[in-house]
Amino acid sequence: MEPIKIRPAREQVADALRRAIFTGEIQRGEELTQEAVAAQLGVSRMPVREAFLMLERDGLLMLNSHRKAVVRGLTEEDIVDHYDIRALLEGEAAARASVSEEVADIRAAYEDARSAGLRGDAAAFVEANQQFHRAVWEAADNPYLMRFLDQLWRGLPPHLPELVPVQMRQSLADHDQIMSALEAKDPEAARRAMRHHIQRSLQQFLNAWRSGSDS
Amino acid sequence: MEPIKIRPAREQVADALRRAIFTGEIQRGEELTQEAVAAQLGVSRMPVREAFLMLERDGLLMLNSHRKAVVRGLTEEDIVDHYDIRALLEGEAAARASVSEEVADIRAAYEDARSAGLRGDAAAFVEANQQFHRAVWEAADNPYLMRFLDQLWRGLPPHLPELVPVQMRQSLADHDQIMSALEAKDPEAARRAMRHHIQRSLQQFLNAWRSGSDS
DNA sequence: GCGAGAGTTTGTGGATCCAATATCCCAGAC
DNA sequence: GTCTGGGATATTGGATCCACAAACTCTCGC
């Protein structure tokens, strides 16, 4: 038996809200009261308050003293800005990872994503893909980099469900590029490959977003 | 009259704790209880709880369910990592700012810092210096970039008091370089100048740190 | 003397309660 | 008719209360 991590209520509330925002169940501009959310989720206001503070940090809510919380949601511009910074940071992470001792760990995650992709298991792929990226940051071994990337990933839906199948093929091809740059211990090639991967994902995301969000 | 921003108790508590950590009044590894901090600051536990969550995000505290909060403080390695990422992000900000419309705003902040430096007003310089950097991020106009840089600046003491006088001369010279790259609208020169500025600051900071923290 | 286990203490996480402030609505004056 | 002011209402911020989890200690068995 390994020690399990216990998740406080505030995090579960935050997760629930994030999901609701990402799926569009809660719309941009909508106003939330602690009371209403608490009632709907069946908890007291306390964990909701704390969750609101977390979501504010992640840029999903706007809070003002004694005012209701306003859902910031995401504009197309936000998404572009998000991916821009992600490309910068993950590119740096890849460059650092390429000269680290932990390339083997990355390869393991790479293989997982690859096999999930080849057998067409979308859910497993989404999970493994995240592990692959995370393995890169871990190898880069800079707590600030890791913290910011974590925040970024929490700030956008990991994958729009409708585009996962399309994305898998392309992502796997990109991963090949990244992986070989890493194993060649070539920092700049790794940075380029990662940046390219992310910028390409942005295009896919935007296409899906544009067709999905004309509601 | 412009709308003034009201600061909730949690933020003031967080500020007080940050200061205490930066000055060394609270040492690395020390354990804090909500109760004790609340009593000392004369508030209830509630704002302290929320402040703890903020400081955890800034990397200054480690929280575990049902455990006391542990002060993470800063190792020398943390500081290097911190400046590394700051150089990356501020470099990017400078590159973007150089092609923005707001270079004039940056120059205003630059002049403020310069005049404070020339008349040797350390306090004013620290403030104006921060304004200068902030003006650059604002011009870069990417909310994520801004958010992360804000977090970084909150995570380290803005300036070790003893080195401000030394730092002023050098910083002003660096600022000249940055400013002219910005006004030449040369993104890569601006990035280089900013990176150089920050990496040089790191060296000064480390020297002061090493001599200051052998307690 | 030392380790295991129960009981005690301490401290957090979550619920509820109270205070303070912002918004809303309506009445009255000009 | 519109604007101003006051009171009612809604909602958050802060304080207190309670339950549960972790640490600590003391005792008992060996």
Side-chain angles (χ1 to χ4, degrees):
Chain A
M1 295 261 298
E2 56 193 30
I4 69 160
K5 175 136 179 290
I6 182 157
R7 293 175 52 83
R10 57 172 171 274
E11 290 188 16
Q12 302 180 48
V13 172
D15 283 349
L17 285 170
R18 255 191 282 274
R19 263 197 306 278
I21 293 173
F22 289 160
T23 62
E25 186 186 341
I26 301 178
Q27 297 275 332
R28 172 180 177 75
E30 201 165 323
E31 292 186 329
L32 299 179
T33 68
Q34 298 173 359
E35 186 68 40
V37 173
Q40 193 154 2
L41 297 180
V43 295
S44 85
R45 269 180 52 212
M46 178 74 45
V48 176
R49 292 160 71 152
E50 294 174 334
F52 275 19
L53 290 172
M54 298 170 113
L55 294 186
E56 185 195 29
R57 296 195 303 244
D58 292 346
L60 295 175
L61 284 186
M62 287 166 39
L63 301 181
N64 282 55
S65 273
H66 293 281
R67 311 275 172 71
K68 299 184 201 179
V70 180
V71 178
R72 239 180 120 267
L74 296 156
T75 64
E76 192 169 309
E77 207 187 330
D78 284 333
I79 292 172
V80 173
D81 288 345
H82 177 112
Y83 271 85
D84 272 0
I85 299 303
R86 197 145 91 69
L88 181 71
L89 291 175
E90 292 215 49
E92 177 74 15
R96 288 168 184 248
S98 71
V99 293
S100 81
E101 305 298 315
E102 290 141 74
V103 175
D105 298 347
I106 302 175
R107 171 159 279 275
Y110 160 85
E111 302 286 359
D112 285 351
R114 186 173 156 75
S115 72
L118 292 182
R119 69 177 189 275
D121 182 341
F125 173 77
V126 168
E127 173 64 22
N129 178 55
Q130 180 151 1
Q131 286 308 319
F132 173 71
H133 283 266
R134 192 172 290 271
V136 174
W137 326 338
E138 306 243 343
D141 192 32
N142 181 315
Y144 296 93
L145 198 52
M146 212 151 79
R147 174 137 48 89
F148 292 152
L149 284 169
D150 230 358
Q151 281 185 42
L152 283 173
W153 279 67
R154 274 204 310 272
L156 266 198
H159 293 271
L160 299 178
E162 67 273 22
L163 70 77
V164 168
V166 193
Q167 199 166 33
M168 282 197 300
R169 298 189 67 82
Q170 261 286 225
S171 282
L172 287 175
D174 288 351
H175 286 191
D176 287 345
Q177 299 287 322
I178 296 168
M179 201 64 230
S180 48
L182 288 174
E183 289 181 334
K185 300 198 182 305
D186 180 341
E188 289 314 315
R191 186 194 305 271
R192 269 197 311 277
M194 182 61 89
R195 290 187 66 95
H196 176 265
H197 172 44
I198 290 170
Q199 267 147 2
R200 197 196 42 67
S201 302
L202 166 61
Q203 292 313 320
Q204 283 190 325
F205 193 106
L206 276 185
N207 290 340
W209 180 264
R210 289 195 182 110
S211 55
S213 71
D214 35 48
S215 48
Chain B
M1 294 261 296
E2 55 194 32
I4 69 159
K5 178 143 172 284
I6 182 160
R7 292 176 53 83
R10 57 171 171 274
E11 288 187 17
Q12 302 182 48
V13 171
D15 283 348
L17 286 170
R18 254 190 286 272
R19 265 198 305 277
I21 292 173
F22 290 159
T23 63
E25 186 186 340
I26 300 179
Q27 297 274 333
R28 175 181 172 74
E30 200 166 323
E31 291 186 331
L32 299 179
T33 68
Q34 299 173 357
E35 186 70 38
V37 173
Q40 192 152 4
L41 297 180
V43 295
S44 85
R45 272 180 51 211
M46 178 74 46
V48 176
R49 291 160 73 151
E50 294 174 334
F52 276 18
L53 291 173
M54 297 170 135
L55 294 185
E56 184 195 29
R57 172 184 61 125
D58 292 345
L60 295 175
L61 285 185
M62 286 167 36
L63 300 181
N64 283 60
S65 274
H66 294 280
R67 309 277 171 70
K68 300 184 201 179
V70 180
V71 178
R72 240 178 121 266
L74 297 157
T75 65
E76 193 169 309
E77 207 187 331
D78 284 334
I79 293 171
V80 173
D81 288 344
H82 178 112
Y83 272 84
D84 271 1
I85 299 304
R86 196 143 93 69
L88 181 70
L89 291 174
E90 293 216 49
E92 176 75 14
R96 286 166 186 250
S98 71
V99 293
S100 81
E101 305 298 315
E102 290 141 75
V103 175
D105 299 346
I106 303 175
R107 172 160 277 275
Y110 159 85
E111 301 286 358
D112 286 351
R114 185 173 158 77
S115 73
L118 290 183
R119 69 175 190 275
D121 182 340
F125 173 77
V126 168
E127 173 64 20
N129 179 54
Q130 182 152 359
Q131 287 308 319
F132 173 71
H133 282 267
R134 194 173 289 271
V136 174
W137 325 338
E138 305 242 344
D141 191 34
N142 180 315
Y144 297 94
L145 197 51
M146 210 150 79
R147 173 138 47 90
F148 292 152
L149 284 169
D150 229 359
Q151 280 186 44
L152 283 173
W153 279 68
R154 274 203 309 274
L156 265 198
H159 292 272
L160 299 178
E162 67 271 23
L163 70 78
V164 168
V166 195
Q167 199 165 33
M168 282 196 301
R169 297 188 68 79
Q170 261 283 226
S171 282
L172 287 176
D174 288 351
H175 285 191
D176 288 345
Q177 299 289 322
I178 296 167
M179 200 65 230
S180 49
L182 289 174
E183 291 182 332
K185 300 198 180 306
D186 180 342
E188 288 315 314
R191 186 195 305 272
R192 269 197 311 277
M194 182 61 89
R195 290 188 65 97
H196 176 264
H197 173 44
I198 290 170
Q199 267 147 2
R200 197 195 43 66
S201 304
L202 167 60
Q203 292 311 319
Q204 284 189 326
F205 193 106
L206 275 184
N207 290 340
W209 180 265
R210 289 197 182 108
S211 54
S213 72
D214 36 50
S215 50

